[in-house]
Amino acid sequence: MSERNPEPAAARRAEPKTVLLRRGEVHSPADPFATAMVVERGQVAWVGSEGAADAFADGVDEVIDLDGALVTPAFTDAHVHTTSTGLALTGLDLSDAPSLDAALARVREFAAARPDDRVLLGHGWDAARWPGGRPPTRAELDEAAGGRPLYLSRIDVHSAVVTTALLALAPGLAGTPDGGPLTADAHHAVRGAAFAAVTPAQRAAAQRAALDRAAALGIGTVHECGGPEISSEDDFTGLLRLAAEERGPRVVGYWAERDVDKARELGAVGAAGDLFVDGALGSHTACLHQPYTDAAHTGTAYLDADAVAAHVTACTEAGLQAGFHAIGDAAVTAVVDGVRAAAEKVGLARVRAARHRVEHAEMMTPETVAAFAELGLTASVQPAFDALWGGEDGMYASRLGADRARTLNPFASLLRAGVPLAFGSDSPVTPLDPWGTVRAAAFHRTPEHRVSVRAAFTAHTRGGWRAVGRDDAGVLVPGAPADYAVWRTDELVVQAPDDRVARWSTDPRSGTPGLPDLTPGRDLPVCLRTVVAGETVFVRPGE
């Protein structure tokens, strides 16, 4: 657990220490054999060899003996819901519940342990992985929660099951018959009612819990994806204020509303993030060109190409990023068509320079991949989705059939086309887990979509910075922000998933900086220290 300094941020950061790190492995393109690094005034000042480090030893405030540890740029998680992540960490987590009966038992235990909570909050159920494949009924939840208000979001957070008592708190929903999980506007209404019961103190505690977990995993920056259908303005501005005032990861805020002035007023860098063009595959709300294999419809469309074009035009002219949540192939097509229409109006060069984003972008075709490259769109993607739902027997195959499922999350095709990638978790949909994310991309369940560990690592470090318009960060070179993490790990290798990408090599003569061996089954690196702008935000206990 990271310790938080009660001093005002300005006072703490007035004179950051000059630090020499030595006797380790420093992952830097400036010197593939670097074993030492100097940090000064919140920036990387020098990287180089152990012998040269002696010249700096007497002129620094602190020397850190790495004892063979690896130093890398800190990770950036490009898609996080911070408060919801914290509430999942401190509340009812059903992500590993093996069955419906087990989930209901956990609800009973949680309700008994929280007698004073106005509303019970839980997350993570996935009926697709339960025997029988069905979610709980409202009557079952009413019994398990003892008649109290209860909100349980599905793992993709695009649908939820609730109790009768919670429906009574949501305007216009009292008496709604139990037709299964709530989606679209009904879901937004019950989520709003549930989260309205969270006090400011509970909210701040959840935000701290999430940021502390991020720091402990070597994450130096998170992109918060807020919005009126996701959280609240107070939640969003409170998080940005907390991150500015307290020690921890950087928070970059995106506000998902088609109101450019509101996004700027709230302190967002873009009217973007989860601005929904569609929903999610697991909830049957992702918008498809052809019907679902297991449902006789094509999902839900929230925005069309005209709405996308109007928003991209407004954001481009205002100097803000636009961005959209798009998962299904029809939704991705709507985004591409809309952005292209905006480019015809304001100019392709201006649209490309704005670095507009698409979150998730799972169902891509060769045509939409090429359009992303043409229009300069960043694909903000979550490799853990494939690890969780991909494969011949996974949820994707159940929803779409095996042939369509194999096309999802084509990271290699995106990279080959020159589309910028930024990796994230969409936490709490999947956990904060940066090395696990890199592994999921390098060992994608569909081999032709795999990328090298190096490419995946870059997408999860430098890619997140580039997604917010910074090309000078996310890499340990002189002049870059001193955002880095220190890791205990085994031998470093230059690793690709198979010979179609590149051969493995541990030969130091290759001049390519090594990274941990992420072969499935091997232990992931352990974070020992995380530093943001030269300030330590996490030290592993006992180190």
Side-chain angles (χ1 to χ4, degrees):
M1 195 74 159
S2 61
E3 299 176 2
R4 292 186 172 270
N5 192 323
E7 294 181 65
R12 294 199 321 272
R13 296 170 184 166
E15 296 183 11
K17 289 182 179 180
T18 300
V19 179
L20 168 64
L21 299 93
R22 62 186 309 178
R23 287 204 328 114
E25 301 281 351
V26 179
H27 186 87
S28 171
D31 182 346
F33 311 112
T35 60
M37 180 172 75
V38 173
V39 171
E40 186 175 22
R41 291 192 291 274
Q43 294 183 320
V44 177
W46 171 86
V47 292
S49 66
E50 182 60 32
D54 291 335
F56 296 96
D58 293 334
V60 300
D61 300 314
E62 182 180 5
V63 176
I64 296 176
D65 186 342
L66 295 169
D67 191 24
L70 170 67
V71 182
T72 71
F75 286 100
T76 293
D77 192 311
H79 193 119
V80 173
H81 304 287
T82 307
T83 302
S84 294
T85 296
L87 291 172
L89 289 169
T90 59
L92 175 57
D93 181 5
L94 297 176
S95 60
D96 62 349
S99 66
L100 172 58
D101 287 344
L104 291 171
R106 291 189 190 183
V107 170
R108 293 186 190 95
E109 294 169 3
F110 187 76
R114 300 286 187 105
D116 299 324
D117 286 7
R118 291 171 56 197
V119 172
L120 300 169
L121 300 174
H123 167 73
W125 61 269
D126 186 358
R129 296 192 290 166
W130 290 345
R134 74 166 180 87
T137 65
R138 193 171 302 155
E140 288 171 330
L141 291 178
D142 286 345
E143 182 277 326
R148 296 166 63 188
L150 167 70
Y151 168 85
L152 289 180
S153 53
R154 190 185 180 279
I155 191 168
D156 59 13
V157 201
H158 282 265
S159 60
V161 289
V162 302
T163 56
T164 303
L166 182 63
L167 278 178
L169 300 178
L173 293 184
T176 301
D178 186 3
L182 300 172
T183 63
D185 290 342
H187 176 224
H188 298 154
V190 293
R191 179 165 57 188
F195 279 83
V198 177
T199 67
Q202 287 175 312
R203 185 171 64 218
Q207 292 168 349
R208 289 190 181 98
L211 294 177
D212 283 345
R213 174 64 65 89
L217 293 168
I219 297 170
T221 301
V222 299
H223 295 181
E224 165 66 14
C225 292
E229 296 177 345
I230 300 164
S231 52
S232 68
E233 293 180 17
D234 287 344
D235 179 275
F236 187 76
T237 56
L239 172 64
L240 295 183
R241 185 168 54 251
L242 182 148
E245 294 175 351
E246 300 187 15
R247 184 173 63 182
R250 304 171 188 264
V251 176
V252 177
Y254 287 94
W255 184 253
E257 188 171 4
R258 286 186 290 163
D259 184 336
V260 172
D261 292 334
K262 174 58 67 64
R264 179 170 279 145
E265 173 190 327
L266 295 177
V269 300
D274 274 332
L275 184 53
F276 297 122
V277 179
D278 68 344
L281 291 165
S283 293
H284 290 101
T285 51
C287 190
L288 313 181
H289 284 305
Q290 300 298 324
Y292 285 87
T293 297
D294 61 350
H297 62 82
T298 57
T300 305
Y302 298 119
L303 297 177
D304 61 15
D306 289 343
V308 170
H311 187 62
V312 171
T313 298
C315 287
T316 303
E317 291 179 337
L320 281 180
Q321 281 182 290
F324 305 91
H325 163 119
I327 286 179
D329 50 3
V332 174
T333 297
V335 170
V336 164
D337 290 348
V339 177
R340 184 173 283 123
E344 291 172 356
K345 181 174 182 179
V346 302
L348 178 60
R350 290 182 68 190
V351 166
R352 287 178 58 87
R355 303 192 190 191
H356 302 307
R357 298 170 53 139
V358 183
E359 310 299 317
H360 316 308
E362 291 200 77
M363 291 186 72
M364 304 289 289
T365 65
E367 293 74 23
T368 52
V369 169
F372 270 46
E374 172 199 354
L375 298 167
L377 296 173
T378 295
S380 171
V381 294
Q382 296 75 40
F385 287 6
D386 174 73
L388 186 60
W389 297 315
E392 297 295 317
D393 300 319
M395 182 270 287
Y396 291 151
S398 297
R399 294 289 186 267
L400 303 171
D403 289 343
R404 276 193 295 179
R406 279 192 291 270
T407 69
L408 265 62
N409 301 299
F411 305 136
S413 295
L414 289 162
L415 278 179
R416 282 195 300 269
V419 176
L421 295 184
F423 281 179
S425 62
D426 198 9
S427 181
V429 176
T430 64
L432 300 169
D433 180 14
W435 286 114
T437 295
V438 173
R439 172 185 279 170
F443 294 91
H444 196 295
R445 290 178 179 271
T446 304
E448 56 263 37
H449 299 328
R450 295 173 178 172
V451 298
S452 70
V453 168
R454 182 183 181 191
F457 178 78
T458 298
H460 215 347
T461 50
R462 198 169 192 180
W465 283 93
R466 287 172 166 166
V468 296
R470 290 283 300 272
D471 294 330
D472 62 337
V475 60
L476 300 180
V477 297
D483 287 27
Y484 63 90
V486 180
W487 308 92
R488 181 168 60 236
T489 188
D490 294 328
E491 180 186 14
L492 304 182
V493 299
V494 178
Q495 185 177 14
D498 56 48
D499 285 348
R500 287 173 291 182
V501 178
R503 292 186 180 276
W504 292 38
S505 173
T506 57
D507 186 345
R509 293 173 297 180
S510 68
T512 301
L515 286 166
D517 184 349
L518 300 183
T519 303
R522 294 186 68 96
D523 291 338
L524 294 174
V526 174
C527 185
L528 306 179
R529 178 185 296 256
T530 305
V531 175
V532 176
E535 182 177 40
T536 299
V537 299
F538 169 78
V539 175
R540 187 173 183 80
E543 297 296 331

